[in-house]
Amino acid sequence: MASISGYERPDLRDLLAFYAEAGVDDALADDPIDRFAENVRQQTAAAQQAARATPSGAGRSEAVPARNDRFAAAPSRPMASASVPDEAQAAAARELASKATTLDELRQIMEGFEGCNLKTTAKSLVFADGNPQAELMLVGEAPGRDEDLEGLPFAGRSGQMLDRILAAIGLDRKSAYIANAIPWRPPGNRAPTPHEAEICRPFIERQIALANPKVLVTLDGLPAKLLTGSPDVIVRLRGNWKTHTTASGTVIPVMPTLHPDYLLRNPAHKKLAWRDFLEVKAKLRELSGS
Ligand code: URA
């Protein structure tokens, strides 16, 4: 922080980091600017200038793009289209997801899927980390900035917390499989909308069916709601076994628990997560008969 006559001003770097974290990546002025009108003005001026410079009048109708005309002068590349989330996108996701017969196929299908608007602003598809053969699968909500940059779930501070939680029950990323309910980062880490969750639901459901874990842990409310159908808030849900039924009818026990980010903000509640993970450990023992 810089101090100017007693006023604490944030360092410019901190401020820019804050904006980047919030998903602000374009500089805007205080007053709105009509770039389209500006663009037309520039094109008209360029065309008039070209016409004046061509004595014969040849090429009069050809507009010369102005140097800073970012629309007209832009190289022609396909524009990323942001689909408005609706039921048609969710139906397309369901159909595509059901075709995947392996996790690799599913990842490829998701890489090629253009029906989720979140993909437009995300840098990566955050598919999974860990061991797909593991008995335990954890499902988080959605990638944040670190995960989007690395292309891996729980890559940042909350991931370190998750690693400590797993270590407490004798597991690590080689003995657990980790994914997210939403595989693309929502801009500025905003909460995914119900439509976005519905579009992504078939993918995480298929991922679970293909990984076929013995036990699922959902981290936070959204994956718990999506996978168990329970409308309860996470503080009421957590610590109580629920189930997830795959499309082929396999019933998987689900332990809804608190998100590592929440535990970082509320360390006093770590004891609740600890209890939940002891339950998970006991369930894994019970199901593997040891
Ligand atoms: N929070 C999540 O829910 N998932 C991640 O991958 C990272 C943070």
Side-chain angles (χ1 to χ4, degrees):
M1 288 271 195
S3 171
I4 297 180
S5 13
Y7 169 64
E8 291 291 312
R9 284 201 324 177
D11 184 83
L12 192 54
R13 260 176 309 215
D14 292 344
L15 199 56
L16 287 174
F18 169 79
Y19 284 140
E21 173 64 23
V24 179
D25 50 15
D26 212 350
L28 297 176
D30 285 343
D31 298 317
I33 300 169
D34 186 344
R35 300 279 180 204
F36 292 98
E38 205 174 65
N39 186 33
V40 170
R41 268 199 306 278
Q42 281 171 356
Q43 278 197 16
T44 311
Q48 284 167 351
Q49 200 181 357
R52 277 197 298 273
T54 315
S56 66
R60 193 163 286 179
S61 61
E62 295 246 331
V64 176
R67 278 200 64 190
N68 64 348
D69 179 348
R70 64 183 175 134
F71 297 102
S76 63
R77 70 184 162 91
M79 289 248 305
S81 63
S83 328
V84 177
D86 64 14
E87 173 47 34
Q89 315 292 348
R94 278 197 294 277
E95 200 196 326
L96 286 169
S98 69
K99 292 197 172 119
T101 59
T102 64
L103 287 167
D104 277 347
E105 273 179 27
L106 181 65
R107 181 200 276 262
Q108 277 172 28
I109 286 171
M110 288 163 73
E111 294 275 10
F113 182 68
E114 297 299 336
C116 184
N117 51 301
L118 295 176
K119 198 176 168 186
T120 320
T121 45
K123 289 189 174 56
S124 343
L125 166 74
V126 177
F127 185 71
D129 195 16
N131 178 357
Q133 266 97 46
E135 296 185 334
L136 176 65
M137 177 168 177
L138 300 115
V139 182
E141 184 182 281
R145 184 170 174 270
D146 294 321
E147 291 73 25
D148 189 34
L149 290 175
E150 302 239 346
L152 289 172
F154 289 96
R157 270 188 80 218
S158 59
Q160 290 163 13
M161 175 61 132
L162 184 60
D163 290 342
R164 288 201 293 278
I165 296 172
L166 287 175
I169 58 163
L171 298 177
D172 58 17
R173 291 193 189 218
K174 293 193 198 79
S175 45
Y177 185 53
I178 307 171
N180 277 311
I182 311 287
W184 294 285
R185 182 197 183 196
N189 292 351
R190 68 161 168 76
T193 65
H195 258 125
E196 289 160 354
E198 277 312 307
I199 293 170
C200 296
R201 173 209 286 277
F203 295 127
I204 185 63
E205 288 186 343
R206 191 71 190 135
Q207 197 168 357
I208 292 168
L210 291 168
N212 193 24
K214 286 209 164 94
V215 174
L216 273 168
V217 168
T218 51
L219 302 161
D220 216 349
L222 184 138
K225 233 178 237 179
L226 218 55
L227 300 175
T228 71
S230 170
D232 269 351
V233 290
I234 188 63
V235 281
R236 260 206 295 275
L237 258 182
R238 64 138 289 277
N240 298 298
W241 284 106
K242 299 279 170 195
T243 56
H244 171 72
T245 307
T246 67
S248 63
T250 307
V251 178
I252 305 173
V254 181
M255 173 55 72
T257 191
L258 303 168
H259 195 281
D261 266 344
Y262 174 85
L263 299 176
L264 285 167
R265 291 194 306 271
N266 303 277
H269 290 179
K270 280 188 205 164
K271 60 179 180 291
L272 301 176
W274 172 237
R275 270 186 228 152
D276 301 345
F277 274 90
L278 284 182
E279 285 276 341
V280 170
K281 186 178 178 178
K283 181 67 85 182
L284 285 168
R285 279 226 177 101
E286 176 195 320
L287 295 177
S288 61
S290 57

